[in-house]
Amino acid sequence: MAERKKKTYEIGELDQYLFGQGNHYEIYKKLGSHRVKDGHRQGVYFAVWAPHAKSVSVVGEFNEWDTQANPMKREEPLGIYTCFIPKVQEDMMYKYCIETYTGDYIFKADPFANYAELRPGTASRVHDISELKWSDTQWMKRREDWDHKKEPVSVYEVHIGSWKKHPGCEDDGFYTYRDFGKEIVKYVKDMGYTHVELIGIAEHPFDGSWGYQVTGYYAPTSRYGTPQDFAWMVNHLHQHNIGIILDWVPAHFPKDAHGLADFDGTPTFEYADPRMGEHPDWGTKIFDYGKNEVRNFLIANALFWVEYFHIDGLRVDAVASMLYLDYGKNAGEWVPNKYGENKNLEAIDFFKHLNSVVLGRNPGAMMIAEESTAWPKVTGDVEDDGLGFSLKWNMGWMHDFTEYMKLDPYFRKDNHNLMTFAMSYAYSENYILVLSHDEVVHLKCSMLNKMPGLGFDKYANLKVGYAFMMGHVGKKLLFMGQEFAQLREWSEERELDWYLLAEPEHQAIQNWVRDLLHLYKNKKAMYEADHEFGGFEWINADDAYRSIFSFMRHSKDGKKNLLFVCNFTPMERADYRVGVPKRKQYKLLLNSDEEKYGGTGEKRPQVYKAQKQECDGRPYSFAYSLPPYGVAVFEF
């Protein structure tokens, strides 16, 4: 007897084949729960991959959580279970009841669910996202031709739940995606950022994980609203020419009973050997990158955010932990690869596949690696044995920079190289300079409280540090609150201390960061040759005794170049002279001594004419009175 013809919404042989090969890039349209029409009946089609389960049924509000009411059919050869249930209403909660090979029953949330019960609840919700409303066609079309190497990228890293809260609310006081979208657009446009990076968007059970321990990879967290609300926010940012990046966590997942861990009673998504499949330090499971279906789950998830929800880039968390088999492990706690080395060959292949597919299908999108070691060619071409990322977090620069900034200015002359060393490898990768949430938690102090001294000195140090960062080679990222000198460390439990902006010192820092960001975005010399040797040039990298750094940023056509002078001590240099390459006029664009930046407000000439007088190995120079912790940016 011939097998009945599959309905279009059902899992077919081709779906199974592609999923088994790891190449079903839209598998999220088949697995999970989907509202469909079966003849004259409206209902929901459920499909879940549980290869070692003895049986699976769907339990939920629609069947009073009865484990016998809706058994699922096993589809071979992959062990995908399916069923159609009529009359299931929108947003009804459900789980999969899985009978394990040992005869136990476990209840799991849907790995492909698009919406979830608000924590502490752990159920999935039936939710139709098939008709999201978009009006960002212009943005998406422009994105196809956008090149991150040639354009400004200044990122505002934000945790929605603690950026701002509604006062006096009995619940968490969270802004919804729509509330946040309206407010963040106004703030980001005013400040001059080009992109917003959101942490903690994929569904996660514990607020304190900040979203880095995910249970719902295909579900925007219900803390802030529905998937439609999330799409509205993305659309709204795009309509105002603001890009949006998500933190994405393919490195590990938590052991919560309703999540991916031991999904069908066996290690399904994770490596079976605990030496491969567990992070001892983090108490989490590691994805099995050698399993095609798991690779497919993750690659399709990246595409889900970039293609289905129009996300402009993914910041990939904890890349180093994936690349190294011995990451965070002692001898005997890890298994070498077939060559006896500590490289995870399967993770390397995964990254090459991931980046080739995501960026190949979506020109103009970005894949950004948070990679903390000297692994070669992280942003190199896959064809040249690189990993294929667009950008890499420059953790070396961040470490050296923060160590230098913490020093008493008296000792900076002995550590001058901390600020110059990054230029020796600046072109080995495509870098983004980051001062992220990780630098202002766990007793590391806020950025302001890392600074030495008291009062004026702290704020002045922060100003000159930010200026150096903005002038340095590399894209930029600042975590929320750093732009107005948040005093306390960040906590996900409370909103930022916006009341500080009533204090002139904090308002001055915000003014300074705003003007630096607009300078960065509006002056091509700051970004268009970021990844080329000709884009940056030291004037004096060796003035260690005075702890002064001077350098130039060049535009490609050479018509609008910038000169930075940064004084990292409280000593005034009234007789400061800087060498320059041309006998031109140098226009003062930015002066940290202005009153709005917390300076003295002393009047200064706006134009300086270079004289034929050798300085810094240059034939020409001009004099400029450099105040304590002074910053001056000139255009020529």
Side-chain angles (χ1 to χ4, degrees):
M1 187 174 175
E3 186 179 347
R4 72 172 179 84
K5 186 178 179 182
K6 293 259 185 194
K7 296 180 174 68
T8 55
Y9 61 77
E10 294 180 323
I11 297 287
E13 289 183 11
L14 181 59
D15 295 313
Q16 294 231 45
Y17 173 76
L18 291 174
F19 187 49
Q21 294 294 307
N23 299 325
H24 198 320
Y25 300 134
E26 294 184 347
I27 189 63
Y28 55 84
K29 294 182 178 178
K30 291 287 186 172
L31 293 179
S33 62
H34 299 279
R35 188 167 298 287
V36 298
K37 191 171 184 180
D38 184 28
H40 295 294
R41 300 185 303 169
Q42 298 278 358
V44 174
Y45 181 71
F46 294 89
V48 63
W49 178 58
H52 299 107
K54 286 177 70 174
S55 69
V56 183
S57 64
V58 187
V59 297
E61 291 182 295
F62 40 82
N63 62 17
E64 297 183 342
W65 305 92
D66 182 353
T67 60
Q68 307 299 315
N70 294 107
M72 304 182 80
K73 177 189 173 187
R74 184 180 176 95
E75 306 277 356
E76 299 297 356
L78 296 184
I80 293 174
Y81 286 81
T82 66
C83 73
F84 170 81
I85 306 176
K87 299 180 181 178
V88 175
Q89 301 300 310
E90 186 79 345
D91 290 340
M92 278 188 163
M93 292 187 289
Y94 71 98
K95 282 187 178 181
Y96 296 115
C97 173
I98 297 175
E99 182 185 6
T100 70
Y101 73 100
T102 60
D104 296 320
Y105 289 88
I106 56 178
F107 295 85
K108 292 288 187 176
D110 188 344
F112 284 87
N114 300 131
Y115 194 34
E117 182 184 10
L118 179 62
R119 56 96 178 92
T122 58
S124 301
R125 289 187 184 274
V126 171
H127 196 83
D128 185 8
I129 63 166
S130 62
E131 295 185 6
L132 298 176
K133 291 180 170 59
W134 298 103
S135 53
D136 62 348
T137 307
Q138 203 172 9
W139 171 274
M140 296 300 286
K141 191 69 181 169
R142 278 203 311 269
R143 191 173 88 178
E144 294 176 8
D145 299 319
W146 188 81
D147 184 352
H148 68 274
K149 292 183 180 180
K150 300 175 182 175
E151 299 291 343
V153 178
S154 54
V155 182
Y156 189 46
E157 186 189 29
V158 182
H159 177 262
I160 292 178
S162 57
W163 185 65
K164 285 184 179 179
K165 289 179 181 283
H166 291 298
C169 292
E170 293 182 4
D171 57 14
D172 298 295
F174 290 147
Y175 274 37
T176 66
Y177 290 119
R178 292 173 188 255
D179 294 336
F180 174 76
K182 293 170 188 172
E183 290 295 314
I184 201 68
V185 158
K186 289 185 284 188
Y187 189 71
V188 163
K189 288 187 79 169
D190 172 56
M191 289 299 295
Y193 295 98
T194 64
H195 290 72
V196 173
E197 180 180 313
L198 299 179
I199 67 176
I201 292 301
E203 193 58 81
H204 53 285
F206 177 50
D207 290 9
S209 77
W210 311 331
Y212 289 104
Q213 296 194 10
V214 177
T215 50
Y217 276 81
Y218 286 82
T221 178
S222 57
R223 287 166 175 80
Y224 317 124
T226 67
Q228 282 79 2
D229 296 330
F230 177 75
W232 185 94
M233 176 192 71
V234 175
N235 192 69
H236 188 63
L237 265 68
H238 284 172
Q239 287 178 320
H240 289 85
N241 295 317
I242 298 165
I244 182 165
I245 300 165
L246 293 191
D247 259 16
W248 188 60
V249 193
H252 64 133
F253 55 90
K255 297 179 180 178
D256 294 64
H258 71 286
L260 299 179
D262 294 313
F263 186 77
D264 62 8
T266 68
T268 310
F269 288 88
E270 67 269 42
Y271 286 108
D273 187 333
R275 294 174 299 169
M276 293 281 288
E278 296 199 17
H279 274 302
D281 288 348
W282 299 342
T284 53
K285 298 281 192 178
I286 301 171
F287 282 105
D288 183 347
Y289 307 107
K291 198 177 287 184
N292 286 343
E293 296 89 344
V294 174
R295 291 155 67 105
N296 200 149
F297 172 82
L298 291 169
I299 292 172
N301 184 242
L303 292 168
F304 171 76
W305 293 113
V306 172
E307 295 179 355
Y308 206 78
F309 273 107
H310 295 197
I311 296 302
D312 302 298
L314 299 177
R315 176 266 193 187
V316 183
D317 181 59
V319 168
S321 75
M322 299 168 66
L323 293 172
Y324 296 98
L325 294 164
D326 59 348
Y327 186 93
K329 298 178 181 180
N330 299 314
E333 294 179 345
W334 62 283
V335 182
N337 65 26
K338 62 184 179 182
Y339 303 115
E341 301 170 337
N342 67 341
K343 297 177 181 177
N344 188 333
L345 303 178
E346 294 165 347
I348 295 169
D349 285 342
F350 165 75
F351 281 131
K352 292 178 178 180
H353 187 178
L354 167 76
N355 291 324
S356 297
V357 171
V358 174
L359 299 177
R361 286 170 55 126
N362 299 280
M366 292 186 289
M367 296 294 287
I368 304 168
E370 190 245 335
E371 204 285 313
S372 54
T373 74
W375 189 281
K377 298 183 181 179
V378 171
T379 58
D381 293 337
V382 170
E383 295 79 8
D384 191 31
D385 202 30
L387 296 183
F389 283 96
S390 313
L391 295 167
K392 172 180 171 173
W393 275 29
N394 196 334
M395 307 295 276
W397 174 88
M398 179 278 298
H399 181 268
D400 289 347
F401 174 82
T402 52
E403 288 304 304
Y404 181 88
M405 294 307 301
K406 290 175 190 174
L407 292 170
D408 184 296
Y410 180 81
F411 297 108
R412 285 177 176 166
K413 61 181 181 292
D414 301 317
N415 295 272
H416 197 73
N417 66 305
L418 288 175
M419 296 291 266
T420 58
F421 180 62
M423 281 309 301
S424 69
Y425 61 84
Y427 303 106
S428 62
E429 301 277 7
N430 300 328
Y431 283 115
I432 179 168
L433 308 185
V434 294
L435 295 173
S436 74
H437 66 278
D438 280 330
E439 312 322 314
V440 292
V441 291
H442 302 320
L443 304 180
K444 294 178 186 173
C445 298
S446 65
M447 285 305 299
L448 182 69
N449 281 324
K450 291 185 201 302
M451 301 299 113
L454 298 169
F456 168 83
D457 288 85
K458 280 191 175 296
Y459 295 94
N461 267 288
L462 194 57
K463 276 196 300 179
V464 66
Y466 283 161
F468 184 87
M469 174 188 182
M470 285 294 172
H472 197 282
V473 166
K475 308 305 182 184
K476 323 296 177 191
L477 178 145
L478 279 179
F479 183 55
M480 63 181 197
Q482 295 178 2
E483 77 278 14
F484 62 82
Q486 171 93 2
L487 282 169
R488 296 188 288 180
E489 283 192 337
W490 171 60
S491 168
E492 81 284 350
E493 295 180 353
R494 60 175 184 258
E495 75 168 11
L496 297 180
D497 296 332
W498 294 101
Y499 63 83
L500 291 173
L501 285 170
E503 303 293 330
E505 298 92 341
H506 295 273
Q507 184 65 67
I509 294 290
Q510 189 189 51
N511 292 341
W512 180 243
V513 172
R514 180 191 293 111
D515 287 355
L516 281 170
L517 286 166
H518 282 285
L519 179 78
Y520 170 76
K521 189 166 71 169
N522 295 327
K523 298 295 181 182
K524 288 185 177 181
M526 295 283 272
Y527 61 80
E528 71 172 357
D530 230 5
H531 304 292
E532 301 173 17
F533 284 102
F536 179 98
E537 183 181 356
W538 287 111
I539 292 289
N540 193 337
D542 301 315
D543 195 353
Y545 180 76
R546 296 188 297 181
S547 297
I548 297 174
F549 300 86
S550 52
F551 56 87
M552 294 184 290
R553 297 303 308 268
H554 295 294
S555 61
K556 283 193 170 184
D557 60 12
K559 292 180 179 177
K560 295 284 186 178
N561 305 296
L562 300 177
L563 165 65
F564 279 73
V565 180
C566 302
N567 177 10
F568 281 86
T569 72
M571 300 296 294
E572 180 184 9
R573 304 293 178 183
D575 58 347
Y576 182 75
R577 180 168 286 274
V578 60
V580 291
K582 303 276 187 183
R583 194 169 190 170
K584 298 281 185 179
Q585 290 188 337
Y586 293 77
K587 179 183 176 184
L588 182 62
L589 290 185
L590 207 58
N591 163 29
S592 64
D593 200 36
E594 288 189 33
E595 280 187 29
K596 65 177 179 177
Y597 306 137
T600 65
E602 178 187 333
K603 295 295 182 187
R604 295 171 179 274
Q606 291 304 295
V607 177
Y608 296 78
K609 187 167 179 56
Q611 302 168 333
K612 188 168 177 53
Q613 181 176 338
E614 191 278 335
C615 182
D616 297 324
R618 308 280 174 161
Y620 307 104
S621 63
F622 67 88
Y624 176 84
S625 178
L626 193 60
Y629 300 115
V631 176
V633 182
F634 304 89
E635 186 174 57
F636 65 99

